[in-house]
Amino acid sequence: QEYMLPGNLLGAFIVIMSNWQKGETTEESEENNIMALLKQLVTGEKDSVLSTAMRNGKRAVSVGEWVLLATANSDIIAKKAALSVPDIFLPRLLLCCGMSITSLVTMIERLSKLGESVSDPSKLYNELLSTSAVSEWGLQKGNRITIKKRLHGRIASYLRIFSNAMTDGEQDELNTIERCAFVTWLASEVS
C-alpha cells in the first residue's frame, strides 16, 4: 500500500511524536487518534511506512529524524522507532544521548538478532560500520576503529547509568544485554 504525505507534514509529525508524552491531551479520544496514526506510521516492523518512505530516490525520514524518534519522551514511540528504523541506522542511533533503556535494549537486541540471522555476523556488523554506511549517518567521517570505540564507550556508559538506577531484579536485563552478540563482538573488536 502506498501513502502520499507532504514532507513538511511528515517532519512536523515526527517532531510531535518525539515530544509526545502520554496523557498530554485533554480528551482520551484525541490521544487514541494520535496513537492510531502512530501505529500506522511506525509499526515496530522493518517495513513500516516511515522506514520505507522515499522522496526523490532518497529516504524520506532522515537519520536526524530517526534520532528524534529513538530518543522520544514516550517509551512506546522510542521502542517502535527502534524496531522500525532501517538496519543501516541502528549503530548510529546507539550513539545518541538521552535514550531510554527500552530503546537501548530494543536496538541492541535487534542488532544481535541480525547477527544471528547470517552465517558471518562479524561481516554484517562491519558492513553496518562501513564508510558508505557511516556517510548516511550524517556524522563526521571516522575510521571503523574510532566508530567502534565510540559505540562501545556509549553502550558501556548507558549500561553503567542504567545499572545505578535499577534494583537487583532489573539488573538481569542489563547483564543479558552485556552478553548479546553485538555487544560482545564490539568489545572484542576494541580490546
Side-chain angles (χ1 to χ4, degrees), residues 46-70:
K46 290 193 316 185
D47 61 350
S48 73
V49 173
L50 288 184
S51 64
T52 58
M54 301 298 274
R55 178 179 21 202
N56 300 327
K58 294 185 177 184
R59 296 179 196 280
V61 181
S62 70
V63 69
E65 290 168 324
W66 281 111
V67 166
L68 285 174
L69 293 170

Side-chain angles (χ1 to χ4, degrees), residues 7-146:
N8 292 342
L9 182 59
L10 178 62
F13 188 72
I14 288 170
V15 170
I16 289 169
M17 283 194 310
S18 69
N19 289 297
W20 182 261
Q21 297 202 17
K22 188 162 177 59
E24 215 170 59
T25 59
T26 54
E27 294 184 30
E28 190 171 316
S29 63
E30 185 179 338
E31 183 165 328
N32 289 340
N33 289 339
I34 291 172
M35 291 310 285
L37 180 57
L38 165 67
K39 287 177 184 171
Q40 289 295 313
L41 291 176
V42 187
T43 60
E45 302 292 331
K46 290 193 316 185
D47 61 350
S48 73
V49 173
L50 288 184
S51 64
T52 58
M54 301 298 274
R55 178 179 21 202
N56 300 327
K58 294 185 177 184
R59 296 179 196 280
V61 181
S62 70
V63 69
E65 290 168 324
W66 281 111
V67 166
L68 285 174
L69 293 170
T71 58
N73 292 329
S74 164
D75 266 356
I76 295 168
I77 293 170
K79 182 173 184 169
K80 286 188 177 284
L83 289 168
S84 299
V85 66
D87 296 341
I88 198 165
F89 294 153
L90 280 170
R92 164 59 182 100
L93 295 185
L94 288 172
L95 292 171
C96 294
C97 294
M99 234 185 325
S100 70
I101 189 166
T102 304
S103 191
L104 176 76
V105 167
T106 302
M107 281 186 242
I108 291 174
E109 286 177 344
R110 192 166 150 211
L111 280 165
S112 292
K113 285 178 186 172
L114 272 173
E116 292 167 3
S117 70
V118 297
S119 61
D120 188 357
S122 183
K123 181 179 177 186
L124 171 80
Y125 295 145
N126 276 310
E127 286 173 5
L128 289 173
L129 301 176
S130 69
T131 305
S132 61
V134 172
S135 69
E136 283 201 48
W137 298 357
L139 295 178
Q140 290 179 334
K141 294 192 186 217
N143 63 34
R144 276 191 207 177
I145 300 296
T146 305

